[in-house]
Amino acid sequence: MIRERTASALLTLTFCVTSPFVFGQAKPVDAAGQPWWQHAVFYEIYPRSFADSKHNGIGDLRGIESKLGYLKQLGVDAIWITPCYPSPQVDFGYDVSDYDNIDPMYGTLADFDHLVNSAKKKHIRIIMDFVINHTSDQHPWFLDSKSSRTSTHRDWYIWRDGKGSGEPPNNWISGFGGPAWKFDPTTGQYYYHYFATAQPDLNWRNPAVEQAMFDVTRFWYKHGVSGFRLDAVDLLFEDPELRDNPVLDGKNEMGDPKTLEKYNDKLPENHEVLRRLRSVADENNAVLVGETYTDSAAELKEYYGAQNDEIQLPMDFMFCTVNKLSAPEFRRQIALAESTGGWPTYVIGNHDMERSYVRYGDGRHDDEIAKLMAALYLTLRGTPIMYYGEELGMTNNDPTRKEDVKDPMGVTGWPAYKGRDGERTPMQWTDGPNAGFTRGTPWLPIAPSYKKYNVQSESQDPDSILEFYRHLLALRHRDPALLEGDYVPLNEDNASVLSYLRRYRNEAVLVALNMSGSMQTVNFDLTQLGFSRARVKVLLTTLQSPPNTRLEKVSLEPFSVYMVRFSK
Ligand code: GLC
């Protein structure tokens, strides 16, 4: 249930009163020597669901282009488009059948070039999703590979004999449910697929695969992309002996036995490929963003590379394992990301996980909590990656009947796991028909919350989640402390309020987030850090009572955000 807001709940936005916005400026605000991706705000677009220019119910590239003005005004610097290559769409684009083209459903290569150029004029960069671990089973490489044991591309995939009659080569389980091996009668062997059977894994031990895939990145660099998000990059290599994974107790959410993916996940060989892929990226001033599911700071650290020569932005999904508002747990995860010595990459939602609005919301203060979460991940030291619609408070709209499920994971996992359709529903532009996404029939049903949570309505409401994001992002772009400052945790034993400084030279921004449902009074003693209290200025707050600038006793309402700036 969503609490109605009252007129008195207006944001206090000292910043927007006193300073002009920096939207549309010609140059990024980067300080000298700072790579562009460290100051950029990234925004993930699931192209099927963003904007439909052809009105056939499926979003497309021209649709994205038509919304660049919106993205610029929001404060987005780079867009990551999930796969828009030709694909049979078994996994909605993550099954690529041609890496050097655009799926006709999304447009043409010329449309893509046009989009890149238009975005460039607005100083927005585009990164592609690089499905590096597997192809579609309809890719010509795989069609050739499966045609005979001696075909040119046979060794581009992982083929093995079964253990015995009807038995796959080992006990590896697919992330999409069932065994990770499929028997192919044409040649009488099994092929390995970590994901769906229609997504055979490439054999990265074959140098020809590396060459061909690196060439794919060169192709897109020539088309003006500024980097790649590396899909499922943990999974590139498999144990050459294909040893069985240790079996754990219980079942996973797809109903399969739980195993420890010791022999097919995060093998050391990954790093050799990443170093070479990074060299190609460096030649193109490009960034590599990683879909890196790590379990420890040590694993995350490894992805940056021993010489900072692998992935610049490995996503820290450990941050997302904090699935509730818990100041101590977020504090611990931030410390962990900071301890790697790398530049952190924070996300709170994406096309594979329940929307943050639902994960963190308590059903009563969902809007306040959405703002609180924004104030967290957009003010930490690092690069944030937003997920489309997060800035509106879009919610999940999960299917209620199995026959409506589109996601292959939902089809296998039903009813225990309903799949990922719920977080992929169309962007909510207006309160009109189909939320202004399409004049056709949308490929997934629009979340009913669109009547209130949409770009048009929220743009007119100074208290909306969207306006909060806009102000926050504008602040972030212009404030050197938010862009570059150190992260200094404050009041570390406070169980309810997460607070920290972003400290830069003689300046600092203090962020205080009340993660509890009760009033909290906090004392910030910054004298030891050398900051005088005299020049405190409120930057942004959701407090309804007048914000306090005396830091020895700050009263924070439930789920409120309080951000102030100091200088020495
Ligand atoms: C990644 C993608 C996910 C996809 C899978 C297989 O995890 O984020 O959506 O299903 O890879 O490509």
Side-chain angles (χ1 to χ4, degrees):
M1 213 183 67
I2 292 159
R3 192 177 72 99
E4 286 301 317
R5 280 167 297 199
T6 58
S8 66
L10 292 183
L11 293 172
T12 304
L13 294 163
T14 310
F15 160 72
C16 72
V17 179
T18 54
S19 316
F21 289 120
V22 289
F23 300 138
Q25 60 193 1
K27 272 184 164 180
V29 289
D30 300 14
Q34 205 76 12
W36 68 269
W37 43 266
Q38 288 194 343
H39 289 173
V41 171
F42 283 67
Y43 185 95
E44 178 191 354
I45 289 181
Y46 199 71
R48 291 180 78 88
S49 293
F50 197 60
D52 177 14
S53 76
K54 293 191 267 190
H55 298 286
N56 60 0
I58 295 176
D60 48 57
L61 296 183
R62 285 184 180 210
I64 296 175
E65 187 172 340
S66 71
K67 301 298 184 186
L68 288 174
Y70 166 75
L71 295 170
K72 185 73 210 173
Q73 209 219 10
L74 177 59
V76 167
D77 307 291
I79 305 169
W80 146 35
I81 305 178
T82 67
C84 51
Y85 314 97
S87 158
Q89 303 288 320
V90 170
D91 189 19
F92 298 107
Y94 282 98
D95 46 324
V96 178
S97 54
D98 176 2
Y99 285 93
D100 294 346
N101 217 328
I102 295 293
D103 194 295
M105 109 174 38
Y106 295 126
T108 62
L109 203 47
D111 290 335
F112 183 82
D113 292 341
H114 207 269
L115 169 63
V116 171
N117 283 327
S118 302
K120 198 170 170 194
K121 285 189 197 131
K122 291 190 152 43
H123 305 283
I124 295 178
R125 297 172 184 259
I126 296 196
I127 71 165
M128 291 290 260
D129 206 314
F130 191 29
V131 189
I132 185 171
N133 174 67
H134 48 271
T135 70
S136 158
D137 63 352
Q138 300 306 306
H139 194 292
W141 299 338
F142 188 73
L143 293 177
D144 180 56
S145 185
K146 72 183 270 194
S147 66
S148 89
R149 288 196 185 203
T150 56
S151 70
T152 316
H153 294 90
R154 183 65 173 182
D155 195 31
W156 284 44
Y157 296 85
I158 322 279
W159 291 98
R160 288 290 190 286
D161 291 330
K163 257 191 195 160
S165 84
E167 265 205 76
N170 63 22
N171 72 346
W172 295 355
I173 300 286
S174 159
F176 278 15
W181 295 95
K182 177 149 191 285
F183 183 73
D184 190 66
T186 321
T187 55
Q189 281 194 313
Y190 287 82
Y191 67 86
Y192 174 60
H193 58 92
Y194 183 85
F195 296 99
T197 52
Q199 293 169 298
D201 274 51
L202 284 161
N203 174 15
W204 275 88
R205 295 187 190 277
N206 182 343
V209 167
E210 176 172 312
Q211 178 68 40
M213 291 298 271
F214 283 17
D215 282 349
V216 168
T217 69
R218 294 187 180 96
F219 174 87
W220 290 102
Y221 290 136
K222 284 197 193 115
H223 282 269
V225 309
S226 297
F228 292 91
R229 174 261 189 189
L230 307 177
D231 181 63
V233 69
D234 300 325
L235 302 169
L236 299 189
F237 283 87
E238 296 77 30
D239 176 37
E241 295 167 41
L242 301 186
R243 280 168 280 189
D244 276 346
N245 279 329
V247 179
L248 307 172
D249 283 345
K251 303 237 163 162
N252 65 22
E253 64 178 357
M254 304 298 285
D256 291 310
K258 258 193 204 159
T259 57
L260 182 70
E261 294 182 335
K262 181 173 175 186
Y263 293 115
N264 56 345
D265 184 30
K266 291 194 275 288
L267 265 55
E269 292 91 324
N270 271 4
H271 296 284
E272 293 161 28
V273 166
L274 288 174
R275 278 193 287 278
R276 294 193 290 271
L277 187 65
R278 171 66 180 275
S279 307
V280 184
D282 282 347
E283 286 160 20
N284 293 279
N285 185 28
V287 70
L288 300 177
V289 180
E291 190 199 16
T292 40
Y293 279 99
T294 55
D295 291 324
S296 64
E299 276 185 5
L300 184 59
K301 188 177 164 76
E302 277 182 25
Y303 272 118
Y304 290 100
Q307 311 294 327
N308 267 326
D309 52 358
E310 296 185 30
I311 300 179
Q312 294 103 315
L313 297 177
M315 293 186 213
D316 176 11
F317 287 118
M318 289 177 286
F319 191 75
C320 303
T321 61
V322 185
N323 254 339
K324 57 179 178 204
L325 288 186
S326 160
E329 287 193 33
F330 276 118
R331 203 175 279 132
R332 199 165 52 81
Q333 286 302 336
I334 299 162
L336 183 149
E338 286 281 324
S339 74
T340 65
W343 182 261
T345 307
Y346 291 109
V347 290
I348 60 169
N350 70 21
H351 64 284
D352 294 328
M353 66 178 87
E354 193 176 32
R355 281 199 174 263
S356 56
Y357 190 82
V358 186
R359 289 210 323 283
Y360 297 105
D362 67 352
R364 284 182 58 222
H365 306 91
D366 295 345
D367 290 9
E368 289 88 338
I369 293 172
K371 291 171 190 168
L372 181 92
M373 287 306 296
L376 170 61
Y377 86 110
L378 298 175
T379 64
L380 288 173
R381 190 187 76 96
T383 296
I385 306 182
M386 299 169 60
Y387 182 47
Y388 81 93
E390 209 156 67
E391 73 276 22
L392 303 176
M394 271 178 66
T395 188
N396 262 62
N397 190 29
D398 295 321
T400 50
R401 303 183 316 169
K402 186 174 182 189
E403 54 270 38
D404 296 332
V405 177
K406 302 259 190 325
D407 175 23
M409 282 190 85
V411 172
T412 327
W414 191 272
Y417 180 60
K418 296 193 164 64
R420 301 164 293 179
D421 294 348
E423 55 261 29
R424 298 173 173 181
T425 60
M427 177 71 172
Q428 296 164 194
W429 295 104
T430 70
D431 64 1
N434 296 326
F437 164 71
T438 181
R439 290 201 292 275
T441 306
W443 77 285
L444 282 178
I446 316 268
S449 70
Y450 81 96
K451 279 278 175 198
K452 177 172 173 195
Y453 296 87
N454 63 74
V455 172
Q456 188 186 46
S457 310
E458 292 193 43
S459 299
Q460 288 154 17
D461 174 4
D463 191 31
S464 67
I465 298 170
L466 177 60
E467 284 304 294
F468 186 83
Y469 265 86
R470 282 189 178 136
H471 292 304
L472 188 56
L473 288 172
L475 272 175
R476 188 192 155 90
H477 279 94
R478 71 189 303 263
D479 196 309
L482 288 176
L483 288 173
E484 299 196 16
D486 302 336
Y487 166 80
V488 185
L490 300 173
N491 297 2
E492 289 192 78
D493 12 340
N494 191 318
S496 305
V497 178
L498 179 68
S499 54
Y500 46 90
L501 285 191
R502 296 293 313 284
R503 184 180 56 186
Y504 181 70
R505 298 188 182 149
N506 286 334
E507 299 168 15
V509 170
L510 182 151
V511 181
L513 307 169
N514 182 359
M515 297 202 153
S516 80
S518 54
M519 191 83 170
Q520 300 289 329
T521 302
V522 204
N523 170 27
F524 297 109
D525 182 2
L526 302 172
T527 40
Q528 289 203 333
L529 293 164
F531 285 98
S532 107
R533 288 173 217 154
R535 297 188 214 151
V536 170
K537 177 184 165 192
V538 179
L539 289 181
L540 182 62
T541 179
T542 55
L543 290 175
Q544 297 181 28
S545 55
N548 193 343
T549 52
R550 289 180 48 243
L551 293 182
E552 60 275 18
K553 201 173 173 214
V554 181
S555 295
L556 297 171
E557 290 154 10
F559 306 114
S560 60
V561 173
Y562 180 65
M563 279 173 68
V564 293
R565 161 173 255 290
F566 314 84
S567 50
K568 274 187 183 167

